[in-house]
Amino acid sequence: MQIQTTAIHALRGFEHHAVIPPVHLASTFALDPATDSGAFAYQRGSNPTRAQLETVLAALEGSEHAFAFASGMAATAAALSTLGVGDEILLPASVYGGTYRFVGQVLPGRGVTGRYVDHLDDLTDEDFTPATRAVFVETPANPTLRITDLRRVIALAHRHGALVIVDNTFMTPVLQKPLDLGADVVVQSATKYLAGHSDLLAGTIATNDEQLAQAYRLAQQAQGGVLSPQDSFRLIQSLKTLPLRLERQQANADAIVSHLRGHEDIAAVWSPGSHSEHEARLHASQASGRGAVLSFELAEGLDRVTFLQALRYPVYAVSLGGVESLICRPATMTHEAMTPQARAAAGISDELLRLSVGIEDLGDLLADLDQALAASRIR
């Protein structure tokens, strides 16, 4: 079954006959007095609607287990909850700012150390120590869109007994399936492409490892950062259009990248695979598309603030993956938790702009970018 069909029909066979699954709002459920048991007991532990969503997520990921959380960071925190005192995690220097904040400000209190690497493809056996318990990967990286060789990093990490956790928010299972390449865990901010309408917060974890699955169930039960029934239902519905939305977004993004690369008012444009022919071949070998996020810098002689104010369609806001185009300045928005030195090491300049392309008419988007560029020329 292809992924568009899976997104719509993954719940066939559930014990209801409604074409659209019902929403179960109950916080508590009746148990059998003879056994003190039941399929569900309390919403934090499990809920029929959240269970349906997790069934759909697992089907899309091709995983044995999937878990829904109240935000992307709640999912990331749960994925890292298996680390303990004395453990170390390796991360790319350009990791998402929220993850950077969690690793730098929360994990040290648990005795866990984060170590940053300029580019994970440069990792060697010498970079691993007995304390290295996990490698956290973003590919494409946010917001530089650098590509990491998943197969190589996974093999290297496993050789040293370390887990590989992949943040697949930019690609989604439509374009990239890290579990199929050997990753242990996939996390996503479902707020982005999976939900797709900038109207809910959610996070997901997928894994094929039963021991890790037990740890993530415990994280849901003990920490309580679970997705509500209403938002679980809404995410089920949104997932049905994910492949279609992403197809249009990606086509728009490809055309915008081509347009900006030849534009005199643009200093540089980055998209997945654009940094080198090697990265282009690498990305093509592990993903089926480039997604719909690009980054660029204006040429000298253009005013960034004027450009952003002149745009009619892309909204100047954090987040990505919605049906509307969004543009942000990572240095002061998504990655503001980083020090200036850390951002410089990650290749995130103060002038870098990240554009998440929506499903608007392509001609309207291109014309809007052109008029905003023309308006921002310093005279």
Side-chain angles (χ1 to χ4, degrees), residues 231-247:
D231 283 344
S232 294
F233 171 79
R234 292 167 64 205
L235 188 50
I236 290 171
Q237 297 306 101
S238 293
L239 287 169
K240 295 178 180 180
T241 61
L242 168 63
L244 292 175
R245 286 185 279 107
L246 194 52
E247 181 180 1

Side-chain angles (χ1 to χ4, degrees), residues 60-182:
L60 293 175
E61 294 281 5
S63 64
E64 294 293 325
H65 312 280
F67 304 90
F69 292 84
S71 69
M73 279 312 305
T76 297
L80 300 180
S81 66
T82 60
L83 300 178
V85 175
D87 289 347
E88 174 190 70
I89 180 171
L90 301 180
L91 307 98
S94 61
V95 73
Y96 167 59
T99 305
Y100 179 89
R101 181 188 295 113
F102 184 80
V103 171
Q105 298 182 28
V106 177
L107 286 187
R110 303 177 185 177
V112 179
T113 302
R115 179 154 55 93
Y116 293 92
V117 179
D118 286 348
H119 190 36
L120 290 180
D121 271 4
D122 295 332
L123 284 177
T124 67
D125 289 301
E126 287 67 36
D127 290 303
F128 288 78
T129 73
T132 307
R133 291 288 178 265
V135 180
F136 192 95
V137 185
E138 289 179 359
T139 182
N142 179 14
T144 61
L145 304 174
R146 295 294 305 272
I147 302 302
T148 297
D149 186 339
L150 284 173
R151 294 179 180 87
R152 178 183 179 276
V153 170
I154 289 166
L156 181 60
H158 286 175
R159 191 155 66 239
H160 293 273
L163 295 175
V164 176
I165 303 168
V166 179
D167 184 334
N168 202 39
T169 298
F170 276 31
M171 290 287 99
T172 83
V174 174
L175 299 178
Q176 184 169 263
K177 292 191 174 183
L179 294 179
D180 288 351
L181 302 177

Side-chain angles (χ1 to χ4, degrees), residues 21-41:
V23 184
H24 296 266
L25 299 176
S27 61
T28 190
F29 300 82
L31 302 178
D32 182 350
T35 61
D36 288 329
S37 64
F40 301 94

